[in-house]
Amino acid sequence: MPTELAILLYDRFTALDAIGPYEVLSRVPDTNVTFVAKTPGTVRTDTTRAGVVADRALDDLPAPDGVLVPGGPGQEAVMEDPEVLDWLRSAHEHTRWTTSVCTGSLVLAAAGLVEGRRATCHWLALERLSDFGAKPVAERVVVDGKLRTAAGVSAGIDMGLTLAAELADEPTAQAIQLGLEYDPQPPWDVGAPSKAPAAVVEFLRKASRHL
Amino acid sequence: MPTELAILLYDRFTALDAIGPYEVLSRVPDTNVTFVAKTPGTVRTDTTRAGVVADRALDDLPAPDGVLVPGGPGQEAVMEDPEVLDWLRSAHEHTRWTTSVCTGSLVLAAAGLVEGRRATCHWLALERLSDFGAKPVAERVVVDGKLRTAAGVSAGIDMGLTLAAELADEPTAQAIQLGLEYDPQPPWDVGAPSKAPAAVVEFLRKASRHL
């Protein structure tokens, strides 16, 4: 039986949060990645400029081997959606991996799945994990038991590779990394608040207050 | 008037090739990113496990300010599709940026847009650019006039950031990078053939011969 991984989509999710890990995990042998949502069909992203298709309803995958919850501004509504939270809680009882990218960890938190656990989140929302009894950790990928939480947006690629090595083995995960030519060369070294110019950090802090 | 950027989708494209740059460029102020295809609607990716929606037909955006062609095994068919190639040639006459990720540069090449130009591609297909009179360059992002070509899959994120600085300015592009928490920490340093174990490189070379 192949390993079944479900990636949750919801209105106003952030595309790369989901597609980064998908791109890695869908290349692991004997692994099926399936996009799921409350209602199958097109789900629009936070920018409204993209649509990704959820091929299955939540009820179609009640007990996947792994779940991944992406982040995005739409997560606020999902955090109050009993149908999604119930599905997550129920799935989590059987998963081998329960994972999130970015503010997706707040959805796991709202479902009660990170209480007392080490977890991470987008740097702008990291402290909110404390509201749910989790221990916020400012690391790129945080592992606690079967929980895997990744930091903001692009961190899902790094988490995906780590998980690929668990699903298969290191050479397979490395072949996927090389296949995706994941040899990142960002034009600047400003991808974390500790590294970015203070004005850029402040700009984002102010902008996030409007969300 | 906002800057209009068209990302071409086609059957069996690689999702991250398109979504990486989308995630960056859709956050540039006064910039519209639109997914286009011969026929609007859902376009399936190379793994078949994901669908991304093309919101517009090619004819809806005959003269965008920029085009981006992702790679993926479906590019072989696109390289022989006169409708797509004609659209690219016609658009290229007016673009400020004509760009590709991964083997998308082979599509630009098939349209005759890289002859005599420096360009890059996925490392496994780089030398094929020579067949079209281009000068293959093993760099992450290659700029030649208004051409921007990126290496395999994940390189589109790096290209997107460079382009964002041109579209807006460096602080804006850096804010996008920090917003996406693009502070990559791959678990291994094996993302380029010069860095990966020989056995991993050979495995991919063999696998690619079956494509």
Side-chain angles (χ1 to χ4, degrees):
Chain A
M1 293 285 284
T3 301
E4 298 289 345
L5 303 180
I7 299 180
L8 176 70
L9 299 184
Y10 54 83
D11 190 44
R12 300 181 70 213
F13 77 104
T14 299
L16 186 57
D17 288 28
I19 295 293
Y22 147 83
E23 198 64 74
V24 173
L25 296 168
S26 62
R27 294 170 196 285
V28 177
D30 303 318
T31 301
N32 287 335
V33 175
T34 305
F35 289 100
V36 299
K38 282 177 72 171
T39 308
T42 299
V43 182
R44 301 301 293 190
T45 66
D46 50 0
T47 67
T48 74
R49 306 298 301 184
V52 178
V53 177
D55 287 318
R56 298 284 178 180
L58 301 180
D59 289 347
D60 293 334
L61 276 91
D65 300 295
V67 298
L68 184 145
V69 182
Q75 118 268 328
E76 299 294 340
V78 178
M79 288 169 72
E80 297 180 352
D81 187 323
E83 184 179 338
V84 177
L85 299 183
D86 283 348
W87 177 77
L88 281 171
R89 277 187 284 260
S90 175
H92 180 68
E93 289 179 23
H94 306 282
T95 56
R96 292 168 63 196
W97 302 278
T98 297
T99 77
S100 64
V101 178
C102 198
T103 54
S105 60
L106 295 175
V107 177
L108 296 182
L113 306 182
V114 300
E115 200 177 337
R117 300 303 193 108
R118 299 171 74 251
T120 197
C121 190
H122 191 287
W123 63 273
L124 275 169
L126 180 62
E127 290 310 317
R128 288 182 64 189
L129 285 168
S130 308
D131 301 343
F132 300 90
K135 299 170 190 163
V137 180
E139 291 174 7
R140 189 110 177 125
V141 178
V142 173
V143 174
D144 186 337
K146 68 183 183 181
L147 276 183
R148 307 271 180 284
T149 52
V153 192
S154 59
I157 301 172
D158 298 328
M159 185 183 72
L161 287 167
T162 307
L163 188 50
E166 293 186 61
L167 282 157
D169 51 43
E170 270 200 18
T172 301
Q174 292 182 347
I176 292 170
Q177 182 178 346
L178 180 58
L180 301 179
E181 213 163 335
Y182 186 47
D183 178 35
Q185 295 170 29
W188 310 282
D189 188 16
V190 302
S194 59
K195 298 174 173 181
V200 170
V201 175
E202 189 53 28
F203 171 79
L204 281 171
R205 282 200 195 281
K206 278 187 180 153
S208 74
R209 273 181 220 129
H210 299 295
L211 290 179
Chain B
M1 293 285 285
T3 301
E4 298 288 346
L5 304 179
I7 299 180
L8 176 70
L9 298 184
Y10 54 83
D11 190 44
R12 299 180 71 212
F13 76 104
T14 299
L16 186 57
D17 288 30
I19 294 294
Y22 147 82
E23 198 63 75
V24 173
L25 296 168
S26 63
R27 294 171 197 285
V28 177
D30 303 316
T31 302
N32 287 335
V33 175
T34 305
F35 288 100
V36 300
K38 283 178 72 171
T39 307
T42 298
V43 182
R44 301 301 294 191
T45 65
D46 50 1
T47 67
T48 75
R49 304 300 299 186
V52 178
V53 177
D55 287 317
R56 298 283 178 180
L58 300 180
D59 289 348
D60 293 334
L61 277 90
D65 300 295
V67 298
L68 185 145
V69 183
Q75 118 267 330
E76 299 293 340
V78 178
M79 289 170 71
E80 298 179 353
D81 186 324
E83 184 180 337
V84 177
L85 300 183
D86 283 348
W87 176 79
L88 280 171
R89 277 188 283 260
S90 176
H92 181 68
E93 290 179 23
H94 305 283
T95 55
R96 293 168 64 195
W97 302 278
T98 297
T99 77
S100 64
V101 178
C102 198
T103 54
S105 60
L106 294 174
V107 176
L108 296 182
L113 306 182
V114 300
E115 201 178 336
R117 300 303 193 107
R118 300 170 72 251
T120 197
C121 189
H122 192 286
W123 63 273
L124 275 168
L126 180 62
E127 291 310 318
R128 288 182 65 190
L129 285 168
S130 309
D131 301 342
F132 300 90
K135 298 169 190 163
V137 180
E139 292 174 6
R140 188 110 177 126
V141 178
V142 173
V143 174
D144 187 338
K146 68 183 184 183
L147 276 182
R148 308 272 180 286
T149 53
V153 193
S154 59
I157 302 172
D158 298 327
M159 186 184 72
L161 287 167
T162 307
L163 188 49
E166 292 186 60
L167 282 158
D169 51 42
E170 270 200 18
T172 300
Q174 292 182 346
I176 293 169
Q177 183 179 345
L178 179 58
L180 301 179
E181 212 162 337
Y182 185 47
D183 179 34
Q185 295 170 30
W188 311 282
D189 189 16
V190 301
S194 60
K195 299 174 173 181
V200 170
V201 176
E202 189 54 27
F203 171 80
L204 281 172
R205 281 200 195 282
K206 278 188 179 153
S208 74
R209 274 181 219 128
H210 300 294
L211 290 178

